[in-house]
Amino acid sequence: MLYAVLETLSPADDSIVHSEELFLTPWEYEERKRELSDLQEIIILEDNIA
């Protein structure tokens, strides 16, 4: 499992307008990464969580 944060940025100034903590399998992470908009980023904080 991966522990990650999904951040949505403001189009005006790149400040974070929404943040979501996620626990994902590597497959789910890859799927989410493909679906990101230009104003979103996903950051892995920790991997190999049991």
Side-chain angles (χ1 to χ4, degrees):
M1 293 291 284
L2 304 171
Y3 175 52
V5 174
L6 174 64
E7 295 180 340
T8 304
L9 307 173
S10 167
D13 61 5
D14 287 337
S15 63
I16 299 169
V17 294
H18 181 76
S19 182
E20 182 179 350
E21 294 182 15
L22 304 168
F23 290 93
L24 305 167
T25 64
W27 184 84
E28 291 170 324
Y29 169 76
E30 291 300 325
E31 285 292 309
R32 285 281 190 124
K33 202 166 80 168
R34 278 194 283 278
E35 297 171 356
L36 294 178
S37 75
D38 291 341
L39 295 174
Q40 293 179 310
E41 58 184 31
I42 192 165
I43 303 163
I44 296 174
L45 300 177
E46 193 171 339
D47 61 1
N48 295 325
I49 297 175

